[in-house]
Amino acid sequence: MIRIAGRFGRVEPRATARAYLLGLLSSVERKNCWQLAEQVGHARPGPMQRLLRYARWDADAVRDDVRTCAVECLGTDGGVLIVDETGFVKKGRASAGVQRQYSGTAGRIENSQIGVFLAYATQRGRALIDRRLYLPEHSWGSDPERRRAAGIPETVQFATKPRLAGGMIAAALDAGLTASWVTGDEAYGQDPHLRASLEETGIGYVLAVACSTRVRINQGRALVGADTLVGRLPTAALQRHSAGNGAKGLRYYDWAWVHIGTGDHRHLLIRRNRTTGELAFYLCWSPTHVPLSELVRFAGVRWSVEECFQAAKSQVGLDHYQVRHWTSWHRHITLAMLALAFLTALAADAAPDRPASTHHLVRSRNPIALTVPEMRHLLAGVFHSPGVSAARLLHWSNWRRRHQATSRRSHYRRRTTSEPTG
């Protein structure tokens, strides 16, 4: 609250914001205004509803504080920016930006809102640092009455998801955030304008693309599809690399890279699942030469944003809101991002130094490091369960983390012994 207190001109919304954040960090089942108000002891939800809708404070300024907090607490050399989107399934048609559209969260076309997010990932952790609500062009962009009812400012016009992502990246870099790489899925990798803007900025990228993507090889003389190019590669071109740690061990795949275009540091990165044979493709560019292993690492970092979404929704109620207004959406999402960044910073500070090698995980008898869910559980016990002693909280925390460490060792050993060596 010290970080954001100055964003509130009056003491009442400042106190309500503190209560709102405590509610987001609590164990209440649904983190909407009604249940948050009950959890923190308010007589009615009115103050929290006013905080999201009518109170005078700038959610974008608090977003800047979230970004600063994440950089200060997680910032190390090698930070990566990740762009991705997540869906918020809704009923009705009054919520800002809602329409029937594909939602990766639901895995199908649903009546939903889509939020485009920017995450920041380092070896110390990852956090969401910016957000944009996607506004569909035809159902919202040209309907002034509907826009007015949802509180959408006149200055907000239709922008594609890659354009929203590019704006967030530019804002983060302008604010002084240090990151040399950007990664994202096909929705962003397929956009040539986003790739061009990153190259102009001098920031490298590893962006997923579709198998039908056509690339130029042989110094630009031949144009071929990415899936066709795979069949021309010699077996020796595929190298075994890990894309990082997963829940059940190192994520090993076969990787190959092919120089494309006419630039010195432009590649098509190819990933093959060693078990199923499934292929994935990435367009890569860097201002200087980097080895294949580094591109593989950046491709693997992309999954960090999925962990962010899962933690934000399950731990701090990112998707629990019951608001329709443009301003209310951005305010709730921003406060949830702040709560998540707070938990991430606490977990990062409590974590021991991580060795470069992961082989120690197979032998270590120590409990796993404090995670974001475990940190929230402990905080909820401290603030909302006064009858529970600190000794009891820590006893059960240690028991859970030792049990999880035992499961992790078993998974890692199984993965190590079953992983093919050829």
Side-chain angles (χ1 to χ4, degrees):
M1 280 307 300
I2 292 175
R3 285 184 176 272
I4 68 169
R7 306 302 186 182
F8 301 88
R10 295 172 55 87
V11 66
E12 292 87 353
R14 188 184 311 138
T16 304
R18 181 183 185 276
Y20 200 95
L21 286 167
L22 280 174
L24 294 179
L25 294 168
S26 74
S27 56
V28 65
E29 182 178 358
R30 294 292 297 175
K31 295 179 170 66
N32 54 53
C33 286
W34 286 42
Q35 295 200 23
L36 292 183
E38 180 183 6
Q39 174 69 23
V40 300
H42 287 184
R44 62 190 190 282
M48 290 193 172
Q49 292 171 337
R50 284 195 297 273
L51 176 73
L52 298 185
R53 177 67 176 87
Y54 299 107
R56 295 183 62 182
W57 61 282
D58 187 347
D60 285 348
V62 175
R63 181 273 321 273
D64 294 343
D65 294 333
V66 174
R67 183 171 56 210
T68 301
C69 173
V71 172
E72 289 179 359
C73 299
L74 304 179
T76 61
D77 293 338
V80 179
L81 294 173
I82 314 165
V83 291
D84 203 357
E85 63 198 59
T86 189
F88 304 90
V89 176
K90 291 292 170 182
K91 296 180 180 179
R93 63 186 303 273
S95 298
V98 72
Q99 73 165 17
R100 286 191 59 79
Q101 54 193 324
Y102 179 79
S103 167
T105 303
R108 58 184 181 272
I109 294 176
E110 280 281 1
N111 195 62
S112 61
Q113 296 169 296
I114 300 295
V116 180
F117 288 80
L118 182 67
Y120 178 61
T122 73
Q123 291 183 348
R124 285 174 53 82
R126 69 277 305 173
L128 300 174
I129 62 171
D130 206 347
R131 73 287 179 267
R132 298 285 192 278
L133 179 59
Y134 173 67
L135 199 65
E137 181 177 14
H138 299 295
S139 58
W140 284 91
S142 57
D143 190 337
E145 184 175 344
R146 193 181 189 195
R147 288 169 57 97
R148 189 163 45 251
I152 299 172
E154 293 182 0
T155 55
V156 176
Q157 300 299 322
F158 169 74
T160 64
K161 295 170 187 175
R163 185 176 176 183
L164 294 175
M168 291 189 291
I169 293 169
L173 297 177
D174 289 343
L177 184 146
T178 302
S180 300
W181 290 87
V182 170
T183 185
D185 67 12
E186 289 183 19
Y188 306 93
Q190 295 290 143
D191 188 87
H193 301 292
L194 177 60
R195 300 198 306 268
S197 67
L198 293 175
E199 293 180 22
E200 290 175 6
T201 306
I203 186 168
Y205 59 76
V206 178
L207 296 169
V209 292
C211 62
S212 58
T213 300
R214 296 170 67 82
V215 296
R216 291 195 174 275
I217 59 175
N218 298 330
Q219 295 298 317
R221 292 189 294 270
L223 183 65
V224 298
D227 50 355
T228 303
L229 185 57
V230 174
R232 302 182 183 182
L233 294 177
T235 304
L238 292 167
Q239 303 178 33
R240 177 176 176 259
H241 288 281
S242 169
N245 293 331
K248 298 183 179 181
L250 294 174
R251 295 174 292 159
Y252 282 107
Y253 298 93
D254 288 331
W255 299 85
W257 59 344
V258 179
H259 181 266
I260 60 175
T262 57
D264 292 334
H265 310 298
R266 198 180 302 275
H267 294 87
L268 176 70
L269 181 65
I270 303 166
R271 186 194 76 192
R272 186 185 71 179
N273 188 299
R274 297 171 64 83
T275 303
T276 66
E278 181 183 5
L279 297 171
F281 303 90
Y282 306 82
L283 289 180
C284 309
W285 177 85
S286 61
T288 60
H289 172 74
V290 295
L292 172 61
S293 58
E294 282 293 279
L295 296 182
V296 168
R297 181 172 72 86
F298 296 132
V301 168
R302 185 178 74 81
W303 294 105
S304 298
V305 73
E306 300 295 342
E307 297 174 357
C308 281
F309 290 147
Q310 181 181 4
K313 291 181 177 182
S314 63
Q315 301 302 317
V316 296
L318 185 77
D319 59 341
H320 292 188
Y321 61 88
Q322 293 178 340
V323 297
R324 297 176 176 178
H325 199 271
W326 173 272
T327 299
S328 302
W329 186 90
H330 284 87
R331 288 182 171 184
H332 169 83
I333 296 296
T334 302
L335 291 174
M337 286 167 47
L338 177 58
L340 179 64
F342 172 66
L343 293 175
T344 303
L346 289 180
D349 288 342
D353 292 336
R354 302 179 182 180
S357 171
T358 58
H359 295 297
H360 73 288
L361 298 176
V362 179
R363 303 186 302 270
S364 174
R365 298 288 173 179
N366 296 326
I368 68 168
L370 284 163
T371 60
V372 165
E374 187 66 24
M375 192 63 76
R376 190 204 56 81
H377 179 81
L378 291 172
L379 283 173
V382 170
F383 283 105
H384 302 291
S385 302
V388 179
S389 68
R392 181 179 174 186
L393 284 171
L394 293 175
H395 164 78
W396 279 103
S397 176
N398 287 328
W399 185 90
R400 279 191 296 271
R401 293 187 294 118
R402 289 187 182 280
H403 180 75
Q404 290 165 341
T406 300
S407 298
R408 183 182 63 184
R409 284 197 303 273
S410 298
H411 287 311
Y412 271 51
R413 286 170 178 164
R414 189 179 301 112
R415 178 66 62 88
T416 302
T417 56
S418 64
E419 182 65 32
T421 58

